[in-house]
Amino acid sequence: EVQLVESGGGLVKPGGSLRLSCAASGFTFSGYTMNWVRQAPGKGLEWVSSIRSSSTYINYADSVKGRFIISRDNAKNSLYLQMNSLRAEDTAVYYCARAVVGVSNWFDPWGQGTLVTVSS
Amino acid sequence: DIQMTQSPSSLSASVRDRVTITCRASQSISSYLNWYQQKPGKAPKLLIYDASSLQSGVPSRFSGSGSGTDFTLTISSLQPEDFATYYCQQSYSIPYTFGQGTKLEI
């Protein structure tokens, strides 16, 4: 079974840092682009960052550029998101999602999410 | 950035109704359009990819159509488990963007 499991969320003060992890299983992790997508409480979905299979191509949303760092360890089948200089508006459930490529590319599956709360 | 606009934002319907949700892109995105379903407290689930391809395991009452800037998601006969929020998403260019969501309610 293809599965993604996030961890590392929690309560952090503004200006603080947090590192999220996503453990992948049931597929060849090293062959896929991976993404982080977040959802603020009661709001819609916002793409955060993506990383190609060999980490050679990385992209960020403008809202997190310069503060967040995406990385992966293919040997450990794991995806990471290092979040620095956190702000209240970063409060959200963070999902990792595998990108599947066809004509376009789409996110499937998604992990269950991990909640990050930025508050003093 | 490409803006995705869904309509309506919310929709009241009944079991066995036929429902259509519309998604419009701010510029042409060819068929680079996907649809997701999200239930409260759960992760989004892929329904439709490449505008009209049904994801494996998704019931055939779901269908997608469109290309360019205008797209639709149709549920041919609503079932109780279909009451959820639906999102469109473009993968034509980064940043990938989602519509604001359509909440389907009884």
Side-chain angles (χ1 to χ4, degrees):
Chain A
E1 180 193 4
V2 175
Q3 194 171 15
L4 299 169
V5 178
E6 301 94 336
S7 60
L11 176 63
V12 60
K13 289 181 168 56
S17 297
L18 209 56
R19 189 194 196 207
L20 305 183
S21 299
C22 171
S25 60
F27 67 101
T28 305
F29 179 75
S30 60
Y32 288 86
T33 294
M34 297 297 296
N35 295 265
W36 289 99
V37 178
R38 69 183 180 183
Q39 186 170 37
K43 303 297 184 183
L45 299 166
E46 179 189 17
W47 171 81
V48 172
S49 182
S50 68
I51 183 168
R52 288 272 179 94
S53 56
S54 59
S55 303
T56 52
Y57 196 58
I58 288 173
N59 288 282
Y60 298 99
D62 285 346
S63 57
V64 307
K65 200 172 294 182
R67 300 187 299 123
F68 289 11
I69 300 171
I70 190 172
S71 63
R72 64 190 295 162
D73 185 336
N74 288 340
K76 294 183 178 179
N77 292 336
S78 293
L79 173 72
Y80 306 101
L81 187 67
Q82 177 66 43
M83 303 186 296
N84 301 320
S85 303
L86 282 161
R87 307 166 179 167
E89 54 264 36
D90 295 318
T91 294
V93 174
Y94 285 75
Y95 297 101
C96 64
R98 183 182 70 171
V100 181
V101 177
V103 171
S104 66
N105 66 84
W106 53 91
F107 299 154
D108 180 68
W110 300 55
Q112 85 288 352
T114 188
L115 176 62
V116 173
T117 303
V118 184
S119 175
S120 55
Chain B
D1 298 1
I2 297 174
Q3 307 303 314
M4 306 301 293
T5 304
Q6 288 181 233
S7 61
S9 295
S10 63
L11 176 59
S12 294
S14 301
V15 173
R16 291 184 296 279
D17 280 355
R18 180 184 180 89
V19 166
T20 297
I21 298 169
T22 298
C23 178
R24 176 165 289 176
S26 60
Q27 66 181 75
S28 178
I29 58 170
S30 184
S31 296
Y32 289 53
L33 191 283
N34 310 306
W35 289 98
Y36 302 88
Q37 176 193 66
Q38 187 179 33
K39 297 182 178 179
K42 300 294 186 182
K45 171 189 171 185
L46 177 70
L47 297 177
I48 301 285
Y49 61 92
D50 291 348
S52 60
S53 296
L54 188 69
Q55 170 68 349
S56 175
V58 174
S60 59
R61 62 181 179 272
F62 291 91
S63 64
S65 65
S67 66
T69 61
D70 294 315
F71 302 86
T72 59
L73 173 70
T74 299
I75 310 172
S76 60
S77 178
L78 272 174
Q79 298 301 301
E81 61 267 30
D82 300 336
F83 291 94
T85 300
Y86 293 84
Y87 294 93
C88 62
Q89 176 240 336
Q90 65 82 16
S91 59
Y92 184 82
S93 66
I94 285 175
Y96 301 134
T97 46
F98 293 84
Q100 80 279 15
T102 296
K103 187 173 184 180
L104 185 50
E105 301 173 297
I106 299 173

